[in-house]
Amino acid sequence: MTADTTTRYLGIMLKNPLVASASPLTGDIESLQQLENAGAAAVVLPSLFEEQLIHDEQQFHALHEHHGGVDAESQSHFPDLLDYNLGPLSYLNLIKSAKSSLSIPVIGSLNGASTGGWERYARAIEDAGADALELNIYFVPTDPEVSSKGVEDQYVDLVGTIRKGITIPLAVKIGPQFSSLPHFVGRLAEAGADGLVLFNRFLEPDIDLHTLQIAPRLFLSNHNEYRLPMQWIAILRDQLLLSLAATSGVHTPADAIKLLLVGADAVMLTSVLLNRGVNHLHDFIAWLHNWLDVNEYDSIEQLKGSMSHQNCPDPRDLERTNYVKTLMSYTNTNSVNGT
Amino acid sequence: MAGSKFVTLDGNEAAALVAHRVSEVVAIYPITPASPMGECADAWSSQGRENIFGTVPEVIEMQSEAGAAGTIHGALQAGALCTTFTASQGLLLMIPDMFKIAGQLLPTVFHIAARTLATHALSIFGDHSDVMAARGTGWALLASASVQESHDLALVSHAATLKSRIPFLHFFDGFRTSHEVNKIELLSDEDISSMIDREKVLGHRRRALSPDRPELRGSSQNPDVFFQSREASNAFYEELPDRLQNVMNQFAELTGRQYRLFDYVGAPDAKHVVVMMGSGVGAAEEAVQRLVSEGEKVGLLKVRLYRPFDVQAFVSSLPASATRLAVLDRCKEPGSPGEPLYQDVVTSLAEHGAANGLANGSLPRVIGGRYGISSKEFTPAMVAAVFEQLKQKNPKPHFTVGIYDDVTHLSLAWDDQFTTEPDDVTRAVFYGLGSDGTVGASKNSVKIVGENTPLFPQGYFVYDSKKAGSVTVSHLRFGRQPINSSYLIDRATFVACHQFQFLDRIDVLKVAATGATFLLNSPHGADEVWDQLPQEVQQQIIDKKLRFYVVDGNAVARRAGMGGHINTVMQTCFFALSQLQPREEAIAHIKQAIGKTYGRWGESVLQKNYAAVDAALEGLSEVTVPSVAEGNKHLQPLIESNGTPFINRVTAPLVAGRGDLLPVSAVPADGTFPTGTSRYEKRGIAKEIPIWSQDICTDCGLCAWVCPHAAIRLKAYPPAELEGAPKGFRSKPWKGKDLADHLLTVQVAPDDCTGCGVCVDICPSKSKEAVRTRAINMKPIGPHVERERASFEFFKNLPEMKPTQTRVDTIKGSQLLQPLFEFSGACAGCGETPYLKLMSQLFGDRAIIANATGCSSIYGGNLPTTPWAKNSEGRGPTWCNSLFEDNGEFGLGMRLAINKQRDYAVELLQELSGEVGGSLVGALLQAETFDEAALVEQRRQVATLKDRLTSLSCPEAKELLQAADALVPRSVWIVGGDGWAYDIGFGGVDHVLASGENVNILVLDTGVYSNTGGQKSKATPRSATAKFAASGKPSRKKDLGMLAVSYGNVYVGQIALGANPAQTLRVFREAESFSGPSLILAYSQCVAHGIDMSKGMSHQKVVVQSGLWPLFRYDPRSAVDGGHPFRLDSRKPTISFEEFAAKEGRFAITARSNPEGAKRLFELAQQDIDDQWHYYEQMAGIERQVSEEQEEVVG
């Protein structure tokens, strides 16, 4: 094992490109330590959901007021507690504990809903000691009066606002559903983003056919999902100087290698660790080293972007032609089989 | 005194603040109005707050007040400093231990929020009947008359009990003092510490039982020494008054507040003196001051130490000039020569006269009166009436004041115009809904003024007896001097009506003084509101020259994200208009108070409240008042008139809030009231009501099944009945062969519905075109009310289905039966009431109900009306409440009486067989079990029997005529909550189950003491947060069902009406048909669960899915021949406890406030479920053989 696996992500030097993404595994100190011991180069803590915080504050306040002052005998229905641990305190304490327990970088993650909330909580995450902040932005534009530019403006404004409020590196995690991703991420870079995390997986709701109700369903990524970030990282790598992290669908070390080849600075793992356990990271790292050695790469830096849009043998393969080829081969195959 | 600190709080907290700091063991049990003291103590201990000895007091909730007293007794004997808090029947339950504690000279203080004892009826309100019932226990009785005194004399009591070794009852008036918010000077830890004699504490500890110095106490004594032993403690009582006065003097040196055993105020040369104790002295002192200022020679003697009664101190406290005394007692002792205080005064004067050789004529003449029973208003005007009586040549020796007694003519008339309200006191009255935050905001206003200005505030809060849509009235005073006006405001300088719709039904301006300010929360702006007011309101605004302001509080609150909570908006407007402080200062203080009050809920809650404050004043406008009242709107009657004299004379005034004006002759002397009265009370509290879409409906009947208020009903009827139906009346063909050619109507009672939405949640029928549309949907009441009113009127007159005409073993069939429990005052979405409604539908025409005190006794039996109703034949459930603790036994007594009556009827019937006809007698005696048809036949035959008996003249015939109804089966129901069945009444329940008698025990299990505000019971699930379980209940829920199953011959069913309707129906029918004891445990969601009550039935499904509430039946009829009597009716748990817990606030609070502890508690809760399920699965396989011999022996 001679290859150098270090990589720079968000200006931070990582011992390897494998980062544990936000998940229940990064939600407590014990499993964070297990991740570090297994070789994770950095950890992204679960998102602090501003919407959830506000919801909890409102809900617990409503609970306290619930049916209060209604009759002479029961003027309240719950004990009057001094502290409900509402607000971001427990999250900030997790950052502090993680920083004091781990030697690898700790990246905070924030999912906000209002401008004031984003700014306030971003500063709090920085003050708690996070090495970087990952913004998890997601709007569902249901208003037909709002244009695609209007949606993008909200993202850009938020990034700009937060950039001004903190000094730690800032990554932005977005979904793929933008009409012109290169243009849009360019605006994010101008607004102050230090990196992009591609892509957010959204938990689209499902329908329960028994009750005819909308039902939330959590499902983990599947193996083929890595190809979407791979395509876009390949395209964006040549256009942007900022850091790129790949997330979604990385289930094998080979997936990680491919994402590095197209230009990812870091590769985020979630589903595979949830499925196969934290110690599977050891296998990932061993496989990575072995592959680099067998293929005579000196370092990850050498590997990164060597198959980006510009560097791949035929850039059109990363564009629509790839899609056309797939269709053709599928059609041809069927024809060969005489269907 | 080390640095004075003023705070605003209520009497309960004031007393508890001292009690908690001087105690080591606090044993508690919830009872209104003393519960908040225990809740404070528990909360403080759970927060780790230390007492003056540097340790955190141990607070334990017991199964009853008797349990609390026993625990205290034991802790005292083992050397701890102890206290408890109670009232009313709770104090009575402590009396046996109190005799022991006093007899063993154990120092302790029980703090009592004095409350009426239940007699002909229960009352939660205040008087001295409870403490007077304890006056023979040997305890010192010390009375506080105000919030400050309840704080001060709490400390004096604790200090004095240690000095004297005599235990103290420290009492203050329930609600009037316990719940009044006032500004008081707080005692610091140093103050308290300096009053507690550490040597005496050590002395108490030295006397503790210890195996290192063994002693025997509580021995059994014989006639030889018992008497002497009782006399041996005399010296302690003789010394107590001086010891207490010394403590009071020490307290005065420390604080500047001097108390005496008896405090006299008034003219030094008074001729006429009123003697009394408790909060009434506030009103009395104001009257005395005014009369003295007018030159009257009158005075007031305030009694503080009532037991032991110090004759010498009493006599020397009276002005020597006094010639006549009126002794006022806040209790009634029927049959006595006079009430307790009166008797003590008379005896004292007689003794004093005799000892000093005074002739009878030279002693003051004493008359005695009763006042303020059950918090009846007691005003300075009534005190003036008492002094007026003393002036009479022959005053009434015994009188009442505050009521009109047209039967025994004891009452005194008073002059309503007599007032002592000073001009410089701001008097504000706020009308609100229980749910709109008015009371909370009013308490906050009192705090803001009390803690930010030199003014002295007072707040007192009045509630109606409903749990849904209740009206609250807040009475607030603000003055430059401390306020002890212990009566309601009737000349308000500021009136606020926080709900526009009140104006149609409540005369809110009755309390407004001339020139007052009137603030109205109105959806109509200043330019248009006038035309929307009833003429009566307009006229009062004109006549009283009111300044009239409006604000659309709901709109402002909504914009600020406050939903229906208009409290902050209205509070801001009050401060702006009342000018108690400069406006800007007031706004700043409101915001400070918001920060203090809401800070712990987080930034978002603060911000929306700040936004509401800022927006409130922008929306406030003054209305230009026209010179004439005009328009067609008038105050609406609150009750339908049906021509029944009793309802017109009694119920109607009660509903209208004019019960105070009813004379004694109007009310039943024994507390017997007619049933079926809630239907006349048209409350109209729902903002949305369910509207039926007949095209989507599948006739399941679940909407009526779950309706907590019987406000949605089903009727099936022949099409011909539709003749004369109002326009818009809906119907559809009945599905099913049983009632072929019938139509079905699902109808809402729009004025009785609470708008809870439970019916919509349960409705399984969804539109094919838009899934969100169901067969029943909540709609704003406005556009629908007229049509639904007309439809309901028509619907009421459609024929009711007889039990013999429908399949009562099906859900929809059962819902065709007339509910004989309707329109209760229970909470919107109540989980208990659907069970009672079902019981009334199935068995109501033959039900006799013993109802334990609790929610079900309040929504079932709290005046002015009752939901228990009658059918068209005049039959229906007959209902009675005895106590909280004895309900099992109470119901058993009913069964025994019914059995005896039937036995007697059978004996007579057999005796008169020749006269009435052998075949009739045979037919009457032949049936052993009764289905609905047999029941009808039996009633018909009893009617025939009665006909025949009327023609007979022998005494036996007359006896049988009276007893014949007992030949028709009676269904005995013993109903109550889990606080009763699992805790305080468990011993009785257990005994009744063991009796073998044919009774049905229905436990409405909410898992908390719902009625008193959510204290934990032994039914509370592990890990749920409840009062007295602030960190989550640490122990497992008691398995009452299996305890009952262990008897073998008891029918037991555990049900959840929303989770498995068919199983619920089956359990009710099986339990009732079982000829021995049956126990039904009914899962009942409650506001104390912290859930959206409109989704209560969905929660029932989830709780069953989690396994926390498995459904089962144990039927002894299957415990024969190797049968399997235990049937598990629910499926193996499909969701985890944690998943279930995430859906309910009671568990979410634990998870939030105590994350580490919650994790462990949730794990244990899951283990409980797993273990219980495993146990039940094994039970489902067991075979039993319950021998008949055993049944006979038991029975």
Side-chain angles (χ1 to χ4, degrees):
Chain A
M1 286 193 187
T2 54
D4 176 5
T5 58
T6 59
T7 180
R8 187 174 291 278
Y9 173 59
L10 300 174
I12 304 167
M13 188 59 77
L14 305 182
K15 62 186 180 187
N16 66 54
L18 303 175
V19 176
S21 190
S23 79
L25 290 175
T26 60
D28 67 73
I29 294 302
E30 194 181 338
S31 56
L32 283 169
Q33 285 172 331
Q34 288 171 359
L35 284 165
E36 179 173 36
N37 295 338
V43 288
V44 184
L45 302 187
S47 275
L48 175 67
F49 277 81
E50 189 205 0
E51 208 172 343
Q52 183 77 45
L53 287 182
I54 292 174
H55 173 267
D56 286 356
E57 288 175 0
Q58 309 272 349
Q59 281 290 303
F60 278 83
H61 176 239
L63 264 180
H64 187 259
E65 308 276 303
H66 183 57
H67 215 74
V70 169
D71 73 64
E73 295 206 74
S74 48
Q75 300 192 3
S76 68
H77 284 87
F78 290 105
D80 199 9
L81 304 180
L82 284 181
D83 190 1
Y84 292 83
N85 292 317
L86 293 168
L89 195 60
S90 59
Y91 187 79
L92 300 177
N93 286 337
L94 176 66
I95 295 176
K96 287 176 187 166
S97 304
K99 280 302 294 175
S100 63
S101 311
L102 307 177
S103 58
I104 55 176
V106 173
I107 302 171
S109 175
L110 174 60
N111 187 317
S114 66
T115 309
W118 285 95
E119 287 177 70
R120 188 166 57 248
Y121 296 128
R123 273 199 299 275
I125 287 171
E126 177 176 31
D127 292 344
D131 294 294
L133 175 64
E134 181 178 295
L135 287 184
N136 190 343
I137 311 179
Y138 179 42
F139 297 120
V140 179
T142 56
D143 183 350
E145 299 297 316
V146 175
S147 69
S148 55
K149 180 175 182 305
V151 174
E152 290 179 6
D153 287 348
Q154 290 186 55
Y155 279 70
V156 172
D157 291 347
L158 272 173
V159 170
T161 304
I162 290 174
R163 177 71 281 168
K164 286 176 195 155
I166 61 171
T167 58
I168 55 175
L170 178 63
V172 183
K173 189 172 185 177
I174 56 171
Q177 295 153 330
F178 291 92
S179 49
S180 176
L181 201 60
H183 178 262
F184 171 55
V185 298
R187 293 185 66 198
L188 292 178
E190 282 175 22
D194 298 307
L196 294 174
V197 183
L198 305 175
F199 290 106
N200 213 341
R201 289 180 70 247
F202 303 121
L203 301 176
E204 291 88 354
D206 201 354
I207 289 176
D208 182 330
L209 282 179
H210 179 64
T211 61
L212 290 187
Q213 289 187 326
I214 301 296
R217 266 185 63 198
L218 175 66
F219 57 95
L220 298 175
S221 67
N222 64 51
H223 175 249
N224 287 323
E225 287 182 39
Y226 78 89
R227 291 194 289 172
L228 184 64
M230 190 184 82
Q231 179 189 22
W232 282 105
I233 288 172
I235 293 167
L236 297 174
R237 177 69 287 166
D238 304 316
Q239 302 172 6
L240 300 167
L241 291 175
L242 42 68
S243 290
L244 295 174
T247 187
S248 295
V250 185
H251 283 250
T252 68
D255 302 341
I257 297 287
K258 292 174 191 173
L259 288 159
L260 292 166
L261 279 168
V262 296
D265 297 299
V267 176
M268 305 250 178
L269 308 177
T270 303
S271 297
V272 68
L273 300 181
L274 287 169
N275 280 334
R276 305 190 62 175
V278 168
N279 285 330
H280 191 52
L281 257 175
H282 288 298
D283 301 337
F284 253 78
I285 292 167
W287 203 95
L288 180 64
H289 277 286
N290 186 50
W291 193 89
L292 290 171
D293 289 346
V294 167
N295 292 282
E296 299 179 345
Y297 281 88
D298 294 333
S299 66
I300 291 290
E301 286 299 330
Q302 187 186 22
L303 173 76
K304 275 172 30 178
S306 58
M307 284 191 71
S308 70
H309 189 236
Q310 284 181 9
N311 295 337
C312 69
D314 182 353
R316 288 178 305 169
D317 288 349
L318 284 164
E319 299 168 23
R320 184 171 172 78
T321 49
N322 182 286
Y323 175 63
V324 174
K325 275 183 190 173
T326 306
L327 283 180
M328 286 171 68
S329 66
Y330 180 74
T331 311
N332 289 343
T333 307
N334 285 342
S335 298
V336 169
N337 290 336
T339 56
Chain B
M1 187 168 175
S4 296
K5 184 184 176 189
F6 285 89
V7 294
T8 51
L9 38 69
D10 65 24
N12 273 331
E13 188 177 355
L17 270 172
V18 171
H20 185 260
R21 282 186 284 178
V22 294
S23 299
E24 295 164 314
V25 173
V26 186
I28 50 180
Y29 189 75
I31 186 166
T32 305
S35 304
M37 287 188 276
E39 289 167 12
C40 283
D42 181 63
W44 294 331
S45 280
S46 69
Q47 292 159 14
R49 199 188 282 192
E50 294 177 349
N51 59 21
I52 58 167
F53 310 106
T55 65
V56 177
E58 174 77 27
V59 180
I60 182 167
E61 183 198 15
M62 296 304 299
Q63 88 286 7
S64 71
E65 290 87 352
T71 305
I72 297 280
H73 187 193
L76 288 168
Q77 284 291 14
L81 299 176
C82 306
T83 194
T84 188
F85 318 99
T86 194
S88 193
Q89 250 71 23
L91 181 59
L92 296 196
L93 287 176
M94 293 183 172
I95 283 178
D97 265 294
M98 289 171 65
F99 275 99
K100 298 288 289 185
I101 290 168
Q104 292 165 355
L105 294 172
L106 295 167
T108 185
V109 180
F110 289 5
H111 299 272
I112 312 298
R115 165 182 158 182
T116 309
L117 290 178
T119 49
H120 62 287
L122 170 146
S123 168
I124 60 169
F125 294 101
D127 64 36
H128 299 161
S129 52
D130 53 1
V131 289
M132 285 304 186
R135 70 185 188 277
T137 55
W139 285 48
L141 268 65
L142 188 65
S144 283
S146 67
V147 179
Q148 180 74 61
E149 290 183 17
S150 70
H151 189 57
D152 293 348
L153 296 187
L155 178 56
V156 167
S157 303
H158 280 279
T161 191
L162 285 165
K163 298 266 191 196
S164 64
R165 295 186 61 191
I166 302 293
F168 270 64
L169 272 191
H170 166 232
F171 70 96
F172 42 88
D173 290 355
F175 283 106
R176 187 61 252 183
T177 303
S178 68
H179 283 59
E180 176 183 308
V181 182
N182 211 313
K183 182 174 181 174
I184 70 164
E185 194 169 357
L186 201 63
L187 295 166
S188 66
D189 282 352
E190 294 73 28
D191 297 331
I192 294 173
S193 204
S194 68
M195 289 291 296
I196 299 298
D197 187 333
R198 300 302 174 106
E199 273 307 311
K200 298 294 182 188
V201 173
L202 292 177
H204 173 59
R205 298 202 200 293
R206 277 194 295 272
R207 289 191 294 273
L209 290 169
S210 167
D212 294 330
R213 44 179 193 284
E215 290 172 318
L216 176 75
R217 290 182 197 158
S219 61
S220 176
Q221 296 184 350
N222 299 323
D224 51 355
V225 293
F226 188 96
F227 192 172
Q228 299 93 305
S229 297
R230 290 299 287 143
E231 297 302 315
S233 63
N234 288 353
F236 290 86
Y237 290 91
E238 286 166 6
E239 290 166 3
L240 186 139
D242 283 346
R243 289 184 189 278
L244 176 64
Q245 189 57 62
N246 288 339
V247 170
M248 287 173 160
N249 294 344
Q250 185 191 350
F251 183 85
E253 281 177 24
L254 186 71
T255 65
R257 295 190 290 280
Q258 176 71 61
Y259 297 100
R260 296 177 188 81
L261 307 185
F262 299 91
D263 272 317
Y264 177 78
V265 292
D269 53 350
K271 289 185 174 176
H272 297 167
V273 176
V274 163
V275 181
M276 64 186 301
M277 59 186 168
S279 65
V281 303
E285 188 165 355
E286 286 184 7
V288 165
Q289 282 170 349
R290 177 177 151 181
L291 293 171
V292 168
S293 73
E294 292 170 354
E296 300 264 5
K297 303 293 186 191
V298 297
L300 166 68
L301 189 65
K302 306 175 189 174
V303 178
R304 301 204 189 281
L305 179 67
Y306 174 63
R307 279 286 182 275
F309 199 89
D310 187 328
V311 172
Q312 189 53 46
F314 167 72
V315 172
S316 58
S317 301
L318 277 174
S321 53
T323 57
R324 289 187 172 186
L325 308 183
V327 182
L328 299 183
D329 274 272
R330 200 161 197 161
C331 65
K332 178 175 174 67
E333 196 166 298
S336 157
E339 272 57 42
L341 182 58
Y342 165 83
Q343 289 202 52
D344 287 325
V345 167
V346 170
T347 305
S348 298
L349 288 174
E351 274 194 10
H352 170 72
N356 294 281
L358 301 175
N360 271 350
S362 64
L363 291 170
R365 182 168 178 177
V366 186
I367 63 173
R370 293 183 289 276
Y371 75 103
I373 306 290
S374 181
S375 288
K376 175 67 77 182
E377 269 291 270
F378 181 65
T379 64
M382 294 171 193
V383 180
V386 172
F387 281 116
E388 197 58 37
Q389 186 64 204
L390 284 170
K391 284 183 190 170
Q392 303 301 310
K393 186 178 175 187
N394 290 307
K396 293 182 178 183
H398 297 284
F399 63 89
T400 58
V401 64
I403 56 171
Y404 172 48
D405 179 359
D406 57 343
V407 177
T408 48
H409 306 288
L410 291 172
S411 59
L412 305 183
W414 67 94
D415 175 9
D416 270 333
Q417 297 308 307
F418 183 96
T419 178
T420 55
E421 294 275 20
D423 292 336
D424 61 351
V425 169
T426 298
R427 296 180 292 277
V429 175
F430 302 80
Y431 290 84
L433 268 180
S435 55
D436 68 13
T438 296
V439 169
S442 299
K443 287 182 179 174
N444 218 322
S445 297
V446 171
K447 272 191 179 294
I448 288 171
V449 173
E451 294 174 11
N452 294 290
T453 76
L455 294 175
F456 287 88
Q458 178 204 47
Y460 188 72
F461 311 93
V462 179
Y463 308 80
D464 70 17
S465 54
K466 308 294 185 191
K467 290 174 185 287
S470 62
V471 176
T472 63
V473 189
S474 304
H475 295 253
L476 271 54
R477 289 184 174 93
F478 304 93
R480 299 190 185 288
Q481 303 297 324
I483 294 174
N484 290 313
S485 303
S486 49
Y487 50 95
L488 301 177
I489 293 168
D490 67 352
R491 292 166 175 81
T493 57
F494 184 96
V495 177
C497 180
H498 289 187
Q499 298 291 334
F500 190 82
Q501 69 274 18
F502 285 178
L503 295 182
D504 288 337
R505 294 178 179 238
I506 304 171
D507 184 3
V508 299
L509 293 179
K510 185 180 165 193
V511 297
T514 301
T517 299
F518 175 38
L519 171 64
L520 177 63
N521 175 22
S522 164
H524 311 288
D527 296 338
E528 55 191 23
V529 69
W530 186 257
D531 294 337
Q532 304 300 322
L533 303 180
Q535 259 196 41
E536 294 84 349
V537 175
Q538 293 175 338
Q539 195 63 54
Q540 288 197 76
I541 292 172
I542 295 166
D543 293 347
K544 293 184 174 179
K545 300 180 176 57
L546 303 184
R547 290 170 60 210
F548 180 23
Y549 294 84
V550 291
V551 62
D552 189 347
N554 294 75
V556 173
R558 227 176 6 254
R559 283 198 296 273
M562 306 269 292
H565 271 255
I566 55 169
N567 50 352
T568 303
V569 178
M570 302 308 291
Q571 183 186 30
T572 304
C573 293
F574 163 67
F575 274 103
L577 295 172
S578 66
Q579 299 176 336
L580 287 166
Q581 297 171 272
R583 186 178 284 206
E584 292 308 314
E585 242 177 71
I587 299 299
H589 286 144
I590 291 173
K591 289 191 173 177
Q592 275 175 19
I594 286 171
K596 262 194 208 174
T597 310
Y598 301 120
R600 63 191 150 145
W601 310 114
E603 192 65 23
S604 65
V605 176
L606 285 179
Q607 291 304 330
K608 69 178 183 182
N609 276 280
Y610 291 148
V613 170
D614 292 335
L617 297 184
E618 291 170 20
L620 181 63
S621 314
E622 183 162 9
V623 178
T624 305
V625 177
S627 54
V628 267
E630 55 193 4
N632 299 323
K633 294 192 76 176
H634 290 278
L635 278 172
Q636 299 297 308
L638 291 163
I639 192 161
E640 274 184 4
S641 172
N642 77 332
T644 303
F646 188 89
I647 288 179
N648 291 342
R649 186 179 183 207
V650 179
T651 308
L654 289 176
V655 171
R658 297 194 303 273
D660 282 326
L661 304 179
L662 284 176
V664 170
S665 64
V667 292
D670 60 359
T672 302
F673 280 78
T675 61
T677 46
S678 61
R679 70 181 61 175
Y680 301 111
E681 192 180 9
K682 295 298 168 194
R683 300 180 66 217
I685 61 172
K687 290 182 175 166
E688 290 187 330
I689 55 173
I691 302 297
W692 184 45
S693 297
Q694 69 272 34
D695 297 338
I696 302 172
C697 184
T698 54
D699 296 17
C700 69
L702 285 172
C703 51
W705 172 261
V706 299
C707 179
H709 292 82
I712 294 186
R713 300 189 180 190
L714 263 57
K715 276 190 180 175
Y717 49 89
E721 295 289 344
L722 271 185
E723 190 182 337
K727 190 180 170 192
F729 186 81
R730 281 157 293 198
S731 62
K732 68 181 285 294
W734 173 266
K735 282 185 180 174
K737 294 174 185 168
D738 53 338
L739 293 169
D741 302 328
H742 275 59
L743 297 178
L744 168 71
T745 292
V746 176
Q747 180 61 50
V748 64
D751 292 311
D752 304 298
C753 174
T754 63
C756 70
V758 173
C759 51
V760 175
D761 179 47
I762 197 85
C763 179
S765 310
K766 293 168 183 166
S767 161
K768 295 287 183 288
E769 288 75 29
V771 171
R772 68 181 303 171
T773 303
R774 303 190 183 202
I776 196 156
N777 301 283
M778 298 303 289
K779 304 278 185 188
I781 190 168
H784 297 276
V785 67
E786 291 306 327
R787 184 175 76 170
E788 296 303 325
R789 248 180 217 154
S791 293
F792 184 63
E793 279 307 307
F794 179 78
F795 179 90
K796 280 197 298 188
N797 294 320
L798 290 172
E800 295 287 355
M801 190 67 71
K802 306 270 186 222
T804 47
Q805 296 173 296
T806 179
R807 287 199 48 198
V808 295
D809 59 344
T810 64
I811 302 303
K812 71 175 180 179
S814 70
Q815 293 314 297
L816 289 176
L817 300 176
Q818 182 183 3
L820 298 176
F821 179 86
E822 59 181 9
F823 317 140
S824 76
C827 298
C830 175
E832 298 184 355
T833 47
Y835 295 107
L836 295 173
K837 179 171 67 83
L838 177 62
M839 185 267 278
S840 81
Q841 288 172 299
L842 296 172
F843 319 114
D845 61 352
R846 51 196 183 273
I848 177 167
I849 300 168
N851 206 132
T853 307
C855 272
S856 53
S857 74
I858 298 303
Y859 58 64
N862 202 327
L863 293 184
T865 61
T866 178
W868 296 105
K870 290 180 275 202
N871 63 19
S872 58
E873 295 167 344
R875 292 195 175 89
T878 189
W879 182 97
C880 192
N881 160 248
S882 176
L883 296 168
F884 193 16
E885 61 272 22
D886 75 339
N887 193 51
E889 302 91 316
F890 184 53
L892 178 65
M894 291 176 173
R895 168 47 71 194
L896 297 178
I898 289 166
N899 290 352
K900 192 66 209 158
Q901 285 160 14
R902 180 181 154 76
D903 291 348
Y904 186 42
V906 169
E907 285 168 22
L908 291 169
L909 195 58
Q910 286 166 338
E911 238 176 86
L912 294 171
S913 178
E915 287 84 345
V916 298
S919 59
L920 178 61
V921 170
L924 278 165
L925 298 181
Q926 128 187 341
E928 288 187 358
T929 56
F930 287 87
D931 59 13
E932 294 296 341
L935 197 71
V936 171
E937 177 58 17
Q938 186 78 348
R939 283 199 180 115
R940 193 191 61 74
Q941 290 176 140
V942 167
T944 305
L945 172 67
K946 284 181 171 178
D947 275 349
R948 294 182 188 177
L949 288 170
T950 48
S951 62
L952 301 177
S953 57
C954 62
E956 291 81 4
K958 286 183 180 164
E959 289 281 319
L960 182 55
L961 190 60
Q962 191 274 325
D965 286 336
L967 294 167
V968 179
R970 301 292 196 239
S971 186
V972 176
W973 287 85
I974 301 175
V975 175
D978 49 276
W980 158 66
Y982 286 67
D983 287 355
I984 195 168
F986 175 66
V989 167
D990 177 62
H991 202 83
V992 173
L993 292 175
S995 74
E997 289 294 341
N998 184 11
V999 295
N1000 308 291
I1001 300 178
L1002 174 60
V1003 180
L1004 304 162
D1005 190 338
T1006 61
V1008 279
Y1009 289 82
S1010 300
N1011 192 49
T1012 47
Q1015 296 82 5
K1016 85 166 166 22
S1017 75
K1018 283 199 283 295
T1020 304
R1022 197 201 294 267
S1023 79
T1025 289
K1027 288 175 182 168
F1028 304 155
S1031 305
K1033 187 182 174 226
S1035 57
R1036 183 172 174 163
K1037 179 184 172 81
K1038 174 174 170 175
D1039 194 345
L1040 184 59
M1042 284 300 149
L1043 289 171
V1045 164
S1046 71
Y1047 277 110
N1049 65 337
V1050 174
Y1051 179 92
V1052 185
Q1054 184 152 293
I1055 59 175
L1057 172 144
N1060 190 337
Q1063 190 252 4
T1064 295
L1065 181 58
R1066 186 169 188 161
V1067 165
F1068 265 93
R1069 288 166 50 77
E1070 288 181 354
E1072 207 276 339
S1073 67
F1074 180 60
S1075 59
S1078 58
L1079 172 69
I1080 301 178
L1081 300 167
Y1083 184 86
S1084 307
Q1085 68 272 16
C1086 174
V1087 294
H1089 293 182
I1091 62 169
D1092 174 356
M1093 292 296 282
S1094 73
K1095 305 285 190 295
M1097 295 304 164
S1098 295
H1099 278 264
Q1100 288 201 6
K1101 288 177 187 164
V1102 180
V1103 76
V1104 171
Q1105 285 168 0
S1106 75
L1108 183 66
W1109 189 266
L1111 307 180
F1112 67 81
R1113 286 172 289 143
Y1114 175 87
D1115 192 338
R1117 287 168 291 200
S1118 299
V1120 290
D1121 301 330
H1124 295 80
F1126 187 91
R1127 290 182 175 82
L1128 199 43
D1129 290 330
S1130 53
R1131 292 182 183 162
K1132 194 166 186 168
T1134 53
I1135 64 169
S1136 69
F1137 173 76
E1138 197 165 355
E1139 199 178 333
F1140 160 69
K1143 297 176 190 297
E1144 303 208 341
R1146 54 180 167 163
F1147 301 109
I1149 291 176
T1150 313
R1152 267 289 176 185
S1153 64
N1154 176 23
E1156 285 307 309
K1159 197 175 168 190
R1160 178 68 186 140
L1161 286 173
F1162 285 6
E1163 285 170 3
L1164 291 171
Q1166 185 63 60
Q1167 286 175 24
D1168 296 343
I1169 289 171
D1170 296 343
D1171 168 63
Q1172 188 178 49
W1173 185 262
H1174 182 54
Y1175 173 39
Y1176 283 10
E1177 277 184 324
Q1178 294 173 76
M1179 282 295 294
I1182 64 150
E1183 297 174 356
R1184 296 198 69 172
Q1185 183 74 39
V1186 179
S1187 68
E1188 289 183 16
E1189 286 74 15
Q1190 183 192 349
E1191 287 186 30
E1192 283 172 12
V1193 170
V1194 173

